[in-house]
Amino acid sequence: MRRIGIVGAGQAGLVLAIGLRQLGYHVTVFAERPAAEVRAVRLVSNQCLFHPALERERELGINFWDADAPPVREVAFAAAGETADPAISWRVALDRPAQSVDQRVKVADWMAEFERLGGDLRIRRVSPADLDECAREFELLVVAAGRGPQFDTLFPRDDERSPYHEPQRAIGVLYVAGTLDAVPGLTFGLSQVGEFFLLPVRSVHGPVHGIGFFGVPGGPMDVWDAVTDVEQHHETARKLLRAHYPWQAGLLDSTSPAAPTDLLHGRITPVVRHPVGTLPSGAKVLAMGDTAVTNDPVGGQGANLAARAARTYQEAIVDHADRPFDEEFLYGTFARYWRHARHATRFTNDLLAPPPDHVLATLDTAQRVPEVAHRFAHLFENPADYEGWLAEPRSSYRFLEEATARRVATP
Ligand SMILES: Cc1cc2nc3c(=O)[nH]c(=O)nc-3n(C[C@H](O)[C@H](O)[C@H](O)COP(=O)(O)OP(=O)(O)OC[C@H]3O[C@@H](n4cnc5c(N)ncnc54)[C@H](O)[C@@H]3O)c2cc1C
């Protein structure tokens, strides 16, 4: 069977590794740290996975947390207005629940599963200079080591597909324990200074809620650089809620930080990279997951895309049978993935810009027409619906008219 090497034990690398191993491929994964250390690191993501990504994990039988991960059944949206009440507010059920399982849990458990299946797990941080040595061992070497900057030179930025040059949000995420008056799902708040999301998570410390703030850089929610610990983060989060989402002012009052390591601060530049890297020896390597396409987490797409990449790359490898993994294969595999990833990327990049009138009209109409709320909420699961609809004013207004007419016609 063919020998495949994967640098990076994350959502992308491990799902591909396990899928290939189940088919009998000889797979080696280079992981930065052992499973016990993975569980102990600081928070890495808020990782809400929607149905298609969850289905992939279920197909592979690696959905180990379905019984105890809280289902994300609803989306509750609200936008700030002139008063303490939201200007727009609606709530809708997801057709199929989403789920957030702490990546520290997933990665640690999947590393064990990969080894159980006979996979070759090597604890080693692979530098770009090490890649040539690794590449000699394998017929195909995939780099799934997360977002930059270590492999940025190997996989240069694709300017045509990357509209932003700077981070568009200052991000602060905290896991909290305690009682929340929240919907059984994703709570989404929008204001002119940024967004906040809250959702239930199955973390390394059991059931918690993850609350993430995404502040426009330089604005009043760009506050995390000065925050050093979870207590300060918790207090800052409560202040942001009172100042910018007053209808949620008390949301965190009966909570406390879940653990000292359960916070995350950062800024991410969204970028699409040229996916095929050439090593000094001339050998070629293929980027995957965030290493290839990094989106701002505001759209909740990165882990979903990583799962999609794992499926698409696996299918391409299997379809290729015994032929050499040449440059044509590498570019073709990424192209196959990009057919889906471009939708998630466009949707997320557009979310980072101030919402245009047709999007505001859609969010407003969603309060009165459940079909509109339903379609908007399901963009997170199916961003391919965005381009032919909400990306463009004319199709957006047409849909609003049609959906409103259907609503009026329904007895
Ligand atoms: C605040 C925040 C919130 C998010 N919320 C969501 C969300 O709700 N929904 C969603 O879909 N996505 C979300 N994401 C994005 C999501 O977490 C990532 O897109 C996803 O984890 C990417 O998976 P990956 O496997 O490509 O990379 P990673 O998950 O980053 O995995 C890469 C792995 O490679 C390892 N590694 C790195 N360098 C090396 C090296 N040199 N040698 C060996 N190993 C190495 C790392 O240790 C890591 O284990 C969020 C991200 C953030 C930061």
Side-chain angles (χ1 to χ4, degrees), residues 7-13 30-33 44-49 103 107 124-127 144-147 150-151 171 173 214 264 268 288-291 297 300-306:
V7 177
Q11 174 80 39
F30 296 93
E32 228 180 344
R33 45 182 74 86
V44 288
S45 181
N46 221 7
Q47 72 271 309
C48 186
L49 280 201
Q103 282 186 350
V107 164
R124 173 177 173 192
R125 185 178 166 83
V126 177
S127 74
R147 58 182 184 274
Q150 26 174 356
F151 297 104
I171 302 162
V173 180
F214 299 78
L264 180 166
I268 294 172
M288 184 193 190
D290 272 11
T291 305
Q301 295 297 308
N304 289 279
L305 275 183

mmCIF file of all heavy atoms in Angstrom, residues 7-13 30-33 44-49 103 107 124-127 144-147 150-151 171 173 214 264 268 288-291 297 300-306, ligand 1:
data_model
loop_
_atom_site.group_PDB
_atom_site.id
_atom_site.type_symbol
_atom_site.label_atom_id
_atom_site.label_comp_id
_atom_site.label_asym_id
_atom_site.label_seq_id
_atom_site.Cartn_x
_atom_site.Cartn_y
_atom_site.Cartn_z
ATOM 1 N N VAL A 7 2.140 16.166 7.972
ATOM 2 C CA VAL A 7 2.714 17.011 9.025
ATOM 3 C C VAL A 7 1.566 17.776 9.680
ATOM 4 O O VAL A 7 0.897 18.581 9.032
ATOM 5 C CB VAL A 7 3.741 18.005 8.432
ATOM 6 C CG1 VAL A 7 4.275 18.934 9.521
ATOM 7 C CG2 VAL A 7 4.877 17.252 7.756
ATOM 8 N N GLY A 8 1.315 17.502 10.958
ATOM 9 C CA GLY A 8 0.256 18.223 11.662
ATOM 10 C C GLY A 8 -0.894 17.313 12.048
ATOM 11 O O GLY A 8 -1.549 16.726 11.185
ATOM 12 N N ALA A 9 -1.099 17.184 13.367
ATOM 13 C CA ALA A 9 -2.199 16.356 13.889
ATOM 14 C C ALA A 9 -3.319 17.282 14.340
ATOM 15 O O ALA A 9 -3.487 17.557 15.522
ATOM 16 C CB ALA A 9 -1.694 15.505 15.049
ATOM 17 N N GLY A 10 -4.078 17.773 13.381
ATOM 18 C CA GLY A 10 -5.214 18.640 13.698
ATOM 19 C C GLY A 10 -6.488 18.096 13.085
ATOM 20 O O GLY A 10 -6.546 16.922 12.695
ATOM 21 N N GLN A 11 -7.493 18.945 12.989
ATOM 22 C CA GLN A 11 -8.770 18.529 12.408
ATOM 23 C C GLN A 11 -8.581 18.013 10.977
ATOM 24 O O GLN A 11 -9.182 17.019 10.589
ATOM 25 C CB GLN A 11 -9.748 19.718 12.422
ATOM 26 C CG GLN A 11 -11.075 19.478 11.728
ATOM 27 C CD GLN A 11 -12.081 18.706 12.553
ATOM 28 O OE1 GLN A 11 -12.203 18.903 13.761
ATOM 29 N NE2 GLN A 11 -12.830 17.803 11.917
ATOM 30 N N ALA A 12 -7.726 18.653 10.208
ATOM 31 C CA ALA A 12 -7.524 18.218 8.819
ATOM 32 C C ALA A 12 -6.650 16.963 8.766
ATOM 33 O O ALA A 12 -7.054 15.932 8.219
ATOM 34 C CB ALA A 12 -6.888 19.343 8.010
ATOM 35 N N GLY A 13 -5.461 17.055 9.351
ATOM 36 C CA GLY A 13 -4.476 15.985 9.202
ATOM 37 C C GLY A 13 -4.941 14.660 9.781
ATOM 38 O O GLY A 13 -4.772 13.602 9.156
ATOM 39 N N PHE A 30 3.104 13.419 11.748
ATOM 40 C CA PHE A 30 4.037 14.127 12.619
ATOM 41 C C PHE A 30 3.223 15.075 13.496
ATOM 42 O O PHE A 30 2.605 16.006 12.979
ATOM 43 C CB PHE A 30 5.059 14.913 11.793
ATOM 44 C CG PHE A 30 5.933 14.031 10.956
ATOM 45 C CD1 PHE A 30 5.594 13.724 9.637
ATOM 46 C CD2 PHE A 30 7.097 13.490 11.491
ATOM 47 C CE1 PHE A 30 6.402 12.892 8.873
ATOM 48 C CE2 PHE A 30 7.913 12.665 10.729
ATOM 49 C CZ PHE A 30 7.562 12.360 9.416
ATOM 50 N N ALA A 31 3.234 14.807 14.790
ATOM 51 C CA ALA A 31 2.460 15.619 15.728
ATOM 52 C C ALA A 31 3.424 16.434 16.577
ATOM 53 O O ALA A 31 4.481 15.928 16.985
ATOM 54 C CB ALA A 31 1.609 14.724 16.620
ATOM 55 N N GLU A 32 3.011 17.667 16.870
ATOM 56 C CA GLU A 32 3.911 18.559 17.604
ATOM 57 C C GLU A 32 4.144 18.094 19.039
ATOM 58 O O GLU A 32 5.217 18.272 19.593
ATOM 59 C CB GLU A 32 3.274 19.947 17.623
ATOM 60 C CG GLU A 32 4.204 21.039 17.254
ATOM 61 C CD GLU A 32 3.517 22.391 17.294
ATOM 62 O OE1 GLU A 32 2.271 22.463 17.315
ATOM 63 O OE2 GLU A 32 4.247 23.381 17.332
ATOM 64 N N ARG A 33 3.085 17.531 19.638
ATOM 65 C CA ARG A 33 3.202 17.147 21.052
ATOM 66 C C ARG A 33 2.368 15.902 21.331
ATOM 67 O O ARG A 33 1.408 15.621 20.598
ATOM 68 C CB ARG A 33 2.749 18.287 21.962
ATOM 69 C CG ARG A 33 1.478 18.965 21.553
ATOM 70 C CD ARG A 33 1.114 20.115 22.475
ATOM 71 N NE ARG A 33 1.930 21.285 22.280
ATOM 72 C CZ ARG A 33 1.686 22.233 21.378
ATOM 73 N NH1 ARG A 33 0.633 22.138 20.589
ATOM 74 N NH2 ARG A 33 2.478 23.272 21.254
ATOM 75 N N VAL A 44 -7.648 26.462 21.783
ATOM 76 C CA VAL A 44 -7.174 26.662 20.408
ATOM 77 C C VAL A 44 -8.262 27.131 19.443
ATOM 78 O O VAL A 44 -7.971 27.684 18.389
ATOM 79 C CB VAL A 44 -6.528 25.373 19.834
ATOM 80 C CG1 VAL A 44 -5.183 25.119 20.477
ATOM 81 C CG2 VAL A 44 -7.439 24.162 19.997
ATOM 82 N N SER A 45 -9.535 26.920 19.797
ATOM 83 C CA SER A 45 -10.594 27.202 18.817
ATOM 84 C C SER A 45 -11.940 27.243 19.539
ATOM 85 O O SER A 45 -12.032 26.933 20.732
ATOM 86 C CB SER A 45 -10.604 26.103 17.756
ATOM 87 O OG SER A 45 -11.588 26.334 16.782
ATOM 88 N N ASN A 46 -12.979 27.613 18.779
ATOM 89 C CA ASN A 46 -14.341 27.451 19.317
ATOM 90 C C ASN A 46 -15.098 26.390 18.517
ATOM 91 O O ASN A 46 -16.191 25.995 18.874
ATOM 92 C CB ASN A 46 -15.086 28.791 19.299
ATOM 93 C CG ASN A 46 -15.905 29.008 20.542
ATOM 94 O OD1 ASN A 46 -15.829 28.230 21.484
ATOM 95 N ND2 ASN A 46 -16.710 30.041 20.553
ATOM 96 N N GLN A 47 -14.530 26.007 17.369
ATOM 97 C CA GLN A 47 -14.821 24.796 16.575
ATOM 98 C C GLN A 47 -16.268 24.322 16.488
ATOM 99 O O GLN A 47 -16.555 23.149 16.733
ATOM 100 C CB GLN A 47 -13.922 23.642 17.054
ATOM 101 C CG GLN A 47 -14.220 23.013 18.407
ATOM 102 C CD GLN A 47 -13.565 23.620 19.588
ATOM 103 O OE1 GLN A 47 -12.370 23.810 19.586
ATOM 104 N NE2 GLN A 47 -14.321 23.929 20.617
ATOM 105 N N CYS A 48 -17.194 25.185 16.101
ATOM 106 C CA CYS A 48 -18.562 24.699 15.871
ATOM 107 C C CYS A 48 -18.584 23.948 14.540
ATOM 108 O O CYS A 48 -18.285 24.508 13.495
ATOM 109 C CB CYS A 48 -19.545 25.866 15.825
ATOM 110 S SG CYS A 48 -21.241 25.303 15.725
ATOM 111 N N LEU A 49 -18.899 22.675 14.580
ATOM 112 C CA LEU A 49 -18.979 21.869 13.358
ATOM 113 C C LEU A 49 -20.433 21.690 12.970
ATOM 114 O O LEU A 49 -21.270 21.311 13.796
ATOM 115 C CB LEU A 49 -18.361 20.489 13.555
ATOM 116 C CG LEU A 49 -16.845 20.314 13.488
ATOM 117 C CD1 LEU A 49 -16.504 18.864 13.196
ATOM 118 C CD2 LEU A 49 -16.187 21.217 12.485
ATOM 119 N N GLN A 103 -11.170 21.051 20.473
ATOM 120 C CA GLN A 103 -10.174 20.367 19.630
ATOM 121 C C GLN A 103 -9.080 19.703 20.457
ATOM 122 O O GLN A 103 -8.426 18.777 19.976
ATOM 123 C CB GLN A 103 -9.564 21.357 18.638
ATOM 124 C CG GLN A 103 -10.500 21.620 17.463
ATOM 125 C CD GLN A 103 -9.874 22.479 16.385
ATOM 126 O OE1 GLN A 103 -8.808 23.047 16.571
ATOM 127 N NE2 GLN A 103 -10.553 22.602 15.272
ATOM 128 N N VAL A 107 -8.301 16.030 19.181
ATOM 129 C CA VAL A 107 -6.969 15.679 18.686
ATOM 130 C C VAL A 107 -6.344 14.586 19.556
ATOM 131 O O VAL A 107 -5.798 13.600 19.048
ATOM 132 C CB VAL A 107 -6.084 16.944 18.607
ATOM 133 C CG1 VAL A 107 -4.610 16.584 18.470
ATOM 134 C CG2 VAL A 107 -6.536 17.817 17.433
ATOM 135 N N ARG A 124 7.039 14.978 16.779
ATOM 136 C CA ARG A 124 8.168 15.755 16.235
ATOM 137 C C ARG A 124 7.624 17.020 15.584
ATOM 138 O O ARG A 124 6.706 16.962 14.767
ATOM 139 C CB ARG A 124 8.892 14.898 15.201
ATOM 140 C CG ARG A 124 9.950 15.670 14.471
ATOM 141 C CD ARG A 124 10.703 14.755 13.496
ATOM 142 N NE ARG A 124 11.608 15.537 12.680
ATOM 143 C CZ ARG A 124 12.213 15.082 11.613
ATOM 144 N NH1 ARG A 124 12.039 13.832 11.227
ATOM 145 N NH2 ARG A 124 13.014 15.856 10.909
ATOM 146 N N ARG A 125 8.190 18.156 15.960
ATOM 147 C CA ARG A 125 7.853 19.398 15.274
ATOM 148 C C ARG A 125 8.719 19.481 14.022
ATOM 149 O O ARG A 125 9.945 19.566 14.118
ATOM 150 C CB ARG A 125 8.097 20.597 16.198
ATOM 151 C CG ARG A 125 7.668 21.903 15.592
ATOM 152 C CD ARG A 125 7.880 23.064 16.536
ATOM 153 N NE ARG A 125 7.762 24.314 15.827
ATOM 154 C CZ ARG A 125 6.609 24.910 15.554
ATOM 155 N NH1 ARG A 125 5.470 24.386 15.959
ATOM 156 N NH2 ARG A 125 6.582 26.044 14.888
ATOM 157 N N VAL A 126 8.074 19.424 12.870
ATOM 158 C CA VAL A 126 8.802 19.383 11.604
ATOM 159 C C VAL A 126 8.988 20.814 11.097
ATOM 160 O O VAL A 126 8.018 21.517 10.845
ATOM 161 C CB VAL A 126 8.004 18.554 10.574
ATOM 162 C CG1 VAL A 126 8.705 18.557 9.225
ATOM 163 C CG2 VAL A 126 7.807 17.132 11.072
ATOM 164 N N SER A 127 10.232 21.226 10.926
ATOM 165 C CA SER A 127 10.471 22.576 10.407
ATOM 166 C C SER A 127 10.476 22.530 8.879
ATOM 167 O O SER A 127 10.635 21.441 8.294
ATOM 168 C CB SER A 127 11.811 23.099 10.917
ATOM 169 O OG SER A 127 12.840 22.440 10.219
ATOM 170 N N ALA A 144 -0.288 19.852 6.920
ATOM 171 C CA ALA A 144 -1.554 20.268 7.533
ATOM 172 C C ALA A 144 -1.238 20.799 8.934
ATOM 173 O O ALA A 144 -1.742 20.305 9.936
ATOM 174 C CB ALA A 144 -2.518 19.085 7.597
ATOM 175 N N ALA A 145 -0.372 21.813 8.964
ATOM 176 C CA ALA A 145 0.191 22.287 10.239
ATOM 177 C C ALA A 145 -0.461 23.575 10.733
ATOM 178 O O ALA A 145 0.141 24.329 11.498
ATOM 179 C CB ALA A 145 1.695 22.473 10.081
ATOM 180 N N GLY A 146 -1.691 23.833 10.282
ATOM 181 C CA GLY A 146 -2.395 25.015 10.765
ATOM 182 C C GLY A 146 -1.926 26.283 10.070
ATOM 183 O O GLY A 146 -1.196 26.250 9.081
ATOM 184 N N ARG A 147 -2.388 27.416 10.625
ATOM 185 C CA ARG A 147 -2.077 28.688 9.951
ATOM 186 C C ARG A 147 -0.657 29.142 10.301
ATOM 187 O O ARG A 147 -0.105 28.736 11.298
ATOM 188 C CB ARG A 147 -3.113 29.750 10.322
ATOM 189 C CG ARG A 147 -3.230 30.016 11.772
ATOM 190 C CD ARG A 147 -4.308 31.031 12.076
ATOM 191 N NE ARG A 147 -4.310 31.318 13.492
ATOM 192 C CZ ARG A 147 -4.971 30.615 14.395
ATOM 193 N NH1 ARG A 147 -5.704 29.587 14.023
ATOM 194 N NH2 ARG A 147 -4.901 30.932 15.674
ATOM 195 N N GLN A 150 5.039 29.562 9.856
ATOM 196 C CA GLN A 150 6.212 28.720 9.577
ATOM 197 C C GLN A 150 6.333 28.273 8.125
ATOM 198 O O GLN A 150 7.441 28.198 7.597
ATOM 199 C CB GLN A 150 6.251 27.509 10.509
ATOM 200 C CG GLN A 150 4.909 27.105 11.022
ATOM 201 C CD GLN A 150 4.876 25.829 11.831
ATOM 202 O OE1 GLN A 150 5.872 25.133 11.987
ATOM 203 N NE2 GLN A 150 3.705 25.490 12.336
ATOM 204 N N PHE A 151 5.197 27.948 7.472
ATOM 205 C CA PHE A 151 5.287 27.443 6.100
ATOM 206 C C PHE A 151 4.841 28.475 5.061
ATOM 207 O O PHE A 151 4.566 28.129 3.914
ATOM 208 C CB PHE A 151 4.471 26.146 5.979
ATOM 209 C CG PHE A 151 5.015 25.034 6.847
ATOM 210 C CD1 PHE A 151 4.377 24.681 8.034
ATOM 211 C CD2 PHE A 151 6.177 24.369 6.500
ATOM 212 C CE1 PHE A 151 4.888 23.672 8.841
ATOM 213 C CE2 PHE A 151 6.704 23.358 7.303
ATOM 214 C CZ PHE A 151 6.054 23.009 8.478
ATOM 215 N N ILE A 171 -9.625 39.051 18.221
ATOM 216 C CA ILE A 171 -10.434 37.921 18.701
ATOM 217 C C ILE A 171 -10.135 37.614 20.166
ATOM 218 O O ILE A 171 -8.965 37.563 20.578
ATOM 219 C CB ILE A 171 -10.121 36.668 17.843
ATOM 220 C CG1 ILE A 171 -10.411 36.957 16.371
ATOM 221 C CG2 ILE A 171 -10.907 35.458 18.335
ATOM 222 C CD1 ILE A 171 -9.743 35.985 15.414
ATOM 223 N N VAL A 173 -11.620 34.690 23.003
ATOM 224 C CA VAL A 173 -12.555 33.598 23.326
ATOM 225 C C VAL A 173 -12.290 33.115 24.745
ATOM 226 O O VAL A 173 -11.128 33.020 25.173
ATOM 227 C CB VAL A 173 -12.388 32.404 22.355
ATOM 228 C CG1 VAL A 173 -13.364 31.280 22.690
ATOM 229 C CG2 VAL A 173 -12.579 32.849 20.908
ATOM 230 N N PHE A 214 -15.385 39.318 18.469
ATOM 231 C CA PHE A 214 -14.632 39.596 17.241
ATOM 232 C C PHE A 214 -14.741 41.092 16.985
ATOM 233 O O PHE A 214 -15.726 41.572 16.427
ATOM 234 C CB PHE A 214 -15.219 38.787 16.077
ATOM 235 C CG PHE A 214 -15.138 37.304 16.297
ATOM 236 C CD1 PHE A 214 -16.037 36.641 17.127
ATOM 237 C CD2 PHE A 214 -14.136 36.563 15.688
ATOM 238 C CE1 PHE A 214 -15.941 35.279 17.345
ATOM 239 C CE2 PHE A 214 -14.035 35.194 15.893
ATOM 240 C CZ PHE A 214 -14.940 34.553 16.732
ATOM 241 N N LEU A 264 -8.287 32.504 24.807
ATOM 242 C CA LEU A 264 -7.558 32.603 23.537
ATOM 243 C C LEU A 264 -7.672 34.052 23.051
ATOM 244 O O LEU A 264 -8.764 34.622 23.058
ATOM 245 C CB LEU A 264 -8.245 31.662 22.560
ATOM 246 C CG LEU A 264 -7.804 31.463 21.124
ATOM 247 C CD1 LEU A 264 -8.491 30.209 20.591
ATOM 248 C CD2 LEU A 264 -8.114 32.615 20.218
ATOM 249 N N ILE A 268 -6.104 37.173 13.042
ATOM 250 C CA ILE A 268 -5.802 36.238 11.953
ATOM 251 C C ILE A 268 -5.969 36.962 10.618
ATOM 252 O O ILE A 268 -7.023 37.552 10.373
ATOM 253 C CB ILE A 268 -6.766 35.029 12.031
ATOM 254 C CG1 ILE A 268 -6.491 34.233 13.313
ATOM 255 C CG2 ILE A 268 -6.643 34.161 10.798
ATOM 256 C CD1 ILE A 268 -7.499 33.138 13.604
ATOM 257 N N MET A 288 -2.708 21.701 3.199
ATOM 258 C CA MET A 288 -4.074 21.261 3.504
ATOM 259 C C MET A 288 -4.594 22.023 4.718
ATOM 260 O O MET A 288 -3.812 22.452 5.584
ATOM 261 C CB MET A 288 -4.017 19.769 3.827
ATOM 262 C CG MET A 288 -5.350 19.150 4.068
ATOM 263 S SD MET A 288 -5.083 17.525 4.802
ATOM 264 C CE MET A 288 -6.717 16.889 4.721
ATOM 265 N N GLY A 289 -5.910 22.142 4.838
ATOM 266 C CA GLY A 289 -6.508 22.797 6.005
ATOM 267 C C GLY A 289 -6.092 24.264 6.059
ATOM 268 O O GLY A 289 -5.912 24.923 5.027
ATOM 269 N N ASP A 290 -5.898 24.773 7.280
ATOM 270 C CA ASP A 290 -5.536 26.186 7.451
ATOM 271 C C ASP A 290 -4.212 26.534 6.776
ATOM 272 O O ASP A 290 -3.975 27.692 6.445
ATOM 273 C CB ASP A 290 -5.409 26.523 8.951
ATOM 274 C CG ASP A 290 -6.731 26.952 9.563
ATOM 275 O OD1 ASP A 290 -7.772 26.785 8.893
ATOM 276 O OD2 ASP A 290 -6.729 27.433 10.709
ATOM 277 N N THR A 291 -3.329 25.559 6.594
ATOM 278 C CA THR A 291 -2.056 25.846 5.916
ATOM 279 C C THR A 291 -2.313 26.313 4.486
ATOM 280 O O THR A 291 -1.569 27.126 3.946
ATOM 281 C CB THR A 291 -1.152 24.590 5.917
ATOM 282 O OG1 THR A 291 -0.990 24.147 7.269
ATOM 283 C CG2 THR A 291 0.218 24.866 5.336
ATOM 284 N N PRO A 297 -12.143 33.309 11.899
ATOM 285 C CA PRO A 297 -13.110 32.404 12.545
ATOM 286 C C PRO A 297 -14.519 32.984 12.674
ATOM 287 O O PRO A 297 -15.438 32.260 13.060
ATOM 288 C CB PRO A 297 -12.504 32.139 13.919
ATOM 289 C CG PRO A 297 -11.287 32.944 14.039
ATOM 290 C CD PRO A 297 -10.984 33.606 12.741
ATOM 291 N N GLY A 300 -17.074 30.818 11.251
ATOM 292 C CA GLY A 300 -17.190 29.442 11.752
ATOM 293 C C GLY A 300 -16.966 28.404 10.661
ATOM 294 O O GLY A 300 -17.646 27.373 10.612
ATOM 295 N N GLN A 301 -16.000 28.634 9.780
ATOM 296 C CA GLN A 301 -15.842 27.731 8.631
ATOM 297 C C GLN A 301 -14.563 26.884 8.667
ATOM 298 O O GLN A 301 -14.481 25.856 8.008
ATOM 299 C CB GLN A 301 -15.858 28.553 7.332
ATOM 300 C CG GLN A 301 -17.188 29.227 7.069
ATOM 301 C CD GLN A 301 -18.323 28.239 6.870
ATOM 302 O OE1 GLN A 301 -18.221 27.328 6.056
ATOM 303 N NE2 GLN A 301 -19.392 28.380 7.633
ATOM 304 N N GLY A 302 -13.531 27.307 9.416
ATOM 305 C CA GLY A 302 -12.212 26.687 9.292
ATOM 306 C C GLY A 302 -12.176 25.199 9.603
ATOM 307 O O GLY A 302 -11.619 24.403 8.828
ATOM 308 N N ALA A 303 -12.757 24.786 10.710
ATOM 309 C CA ALA A 303 -12.739 23.370 11.069
ATOM 310 C C ALA A 303 -13.651 22.577 10.128
ATOM 311 O O ALA A 303 -13.361 21.427 9.784
ATOM 312 C CB ALA A 303 -13.156 23.180 12.526
ATOM 313 N N ASN A 304 -14.750 23.221 9.719
ATOM 314 C CA ASN A 304 -15.637 22.576 8.750
ATOM 315 C C ASN A 304 -14.907 22.361 7.423
ATOM 316 O O ASN A 304 -15.032 21.313 6.797
ATOM 317 C CB ASN A 304 -16.891 23.438 8.550
ATOM 318 C CG ASN A 304 -17.796 23.409 9.767
ATOM 319 O OD1 ASN A 304 -18.563 22.483 9.956
ATOM 320 N ND2 ASN A 304 -17.678 24.406 10.630
ATOM 321 N N LEU A 305 -14.138 23.366 7.034
ATOM 322 C CA LEU A 305 -13.346 23.228 5.802
ATOM 323 C C LEU A 305 -12.260 22.172 5.953
ATOM 324 O O LEU A 305 -11.956 21.441 5.011
ATOM 325 C CB LEU A 305 -12.679 24.555 5.448
ATOM 326 C CG LEU A 305 -13.503 25.561 4.656
ATOM 327 C CD1 LEU A 305 -12.657 26.786 4.331
ATOM 328 C CD2 LEU A 305 -14.035 24.946 3.375
ATOM 329 N N ALA A 306 -11.665 22.106 7.145
ATOM 330 C CA ALA A 306 -10.616 21.105 7.374
ATOM 331 C C ALA A 306 -11.201 19.699 7.199
ATOM 332 O O ALA A 306 -10.577 18.816 6.593
ATOM 333 C CB ALA A 306 -10.023 21.282 8.776
HETATM 334 C C1 LIG B 1 -11.035 31.678 18.002
HETATM 335 C C2 LIG B 1 -11.302 30.656 16.973
HETATM 336 C C3 LIG B 1 -12.594 30.189 16.801
HETATM 337 C C4 LIG B 1 -12.864 29.264 15.802
HETATM 338 N N1 LIG B 1 -14.142 28.831 15.641
HETATM 339 C C5 LIG B 1 -14.430 27.969 14.641
HETATM 340 C C6 LIG B 1 -15.744 27.489 14.464
HETATM 341 O O1 LIG B 1 -16.686 27.791 15.214
HETATM 342 N N2 LIG B 1 -15.981 26.640 13.424
HETATM 343 C C7 LIG B 1 -14.988 26.266 12.571
HETATM 344 O O2 LIG B 1 -15.251 25.516 11.637
HETATM 345 N N3 LIG B 1 -13.719 26.683 12.732
HETATM 346 C C8 LIG B 1 -13.418 27.521 13.741
HETATM 347 N N4 LIG B 1 -12.124 27.939 13.915
HETATM 348 C C9 LIG B 1 -11.090 27.537 12.941
HETATM 349 C C10 LIG B 1 -10.573 26.142 13.167
HETATM 350 O O3 LIG B 1 -10.160 25.965 14.508
HETATM 351 C C11 LIG B 1 -9.403 25.884 12.227
HETATM 352 O O4 LIG B 1 -9.707 26.348 10.943
HETATM 353 C C12 LIG B 1 -9.088 24.395 12.159
HETATM 354 O O5 LIG B 1 -8.641 23.957 13.414
HETATM 355 C C13 LIG B 1 -8.026 24.120 11.111
HETATM 356 O O6 LIG B 1 -7.639 22.782 11.173
HETATM 357 P P1 LIG B 1 -6.190 22.333 10.677
HETATM 358 O O7 LIG B 1 -6.101 20.888 10.916
HETATM 359 O O8 LIG B 1 -5.930 22.878 9.333
HETATM 360 O O9 LIG B 1 -5.186 23.129 11.632
HETATM 361 P P2 LIG B 1 -4.977 23.014 13.268
HETATM 362 O O10 LIG B 1 -6.261 22.635 13.846
HETATM 363 O O11 LIG B 1 -4.325 24.265 13.586
HETATM 364 O O12 LIG B 1 -4.003 21.781 13.380
HETATM 365 C C14 LIG B 1 -2.661 21.868 12.988
HETATM 366 C C15 LIG B 1 -1.841 20.915 13.822
HETATM 367 O O13 LIG B 1 -0.519 20.924 13.352
HETATM 368 C C16 LIG B 1 0.374 20.964 14.455
HETATM 369 N N5 LIG B 1 1.608 21.583 13.986
HETATM 370 C C17 LIG B 1 1.845 22.884 13.747
HETATM 371 N N6 LIG B 1 3.089 23.054 13.314
HETATM 372 C C18 LIG B 1 3.661 21.828 13.264
HETATM 373 C C19 LIG B 1 4.938 21.381 12.878
HETATM 374 N N7 LIG B 1 5.882 22.238 12.459
HETATM 375 N N8 LIG B 1 5.214 20.058 12.976
HETATM 376 C C20 LIG B 1 4.258 19.200 13.402
HETATM 377 N N9 LIG B 1 3.011 19.585 13.764
HETATM 378 C C21 LIG B 1 2.723 20.892 13.695
HETATM 379 C C22 LIG B 1 -0.349 21.762 15.515
HETATM 380 O O14 LIG B 1 0.121 21.437 16.786
HETATM 381 C C23 LIG B 1 -1.789 21.305 15.297
HETATM 382 O O15 LIG B 1 -2.082 20.181 16.073
HETATM 383 C C24 LIG B 1 -11.818 28.826 14.947
HETATM 384 C C25 LIG B 1 -10.510 29.265 15.154
HETATM 385 C C26 LIG B 1 -10.247 30.162 16.148
HETATM 386 C C27 LIG B 1 -8.832 30.627 16.356
#
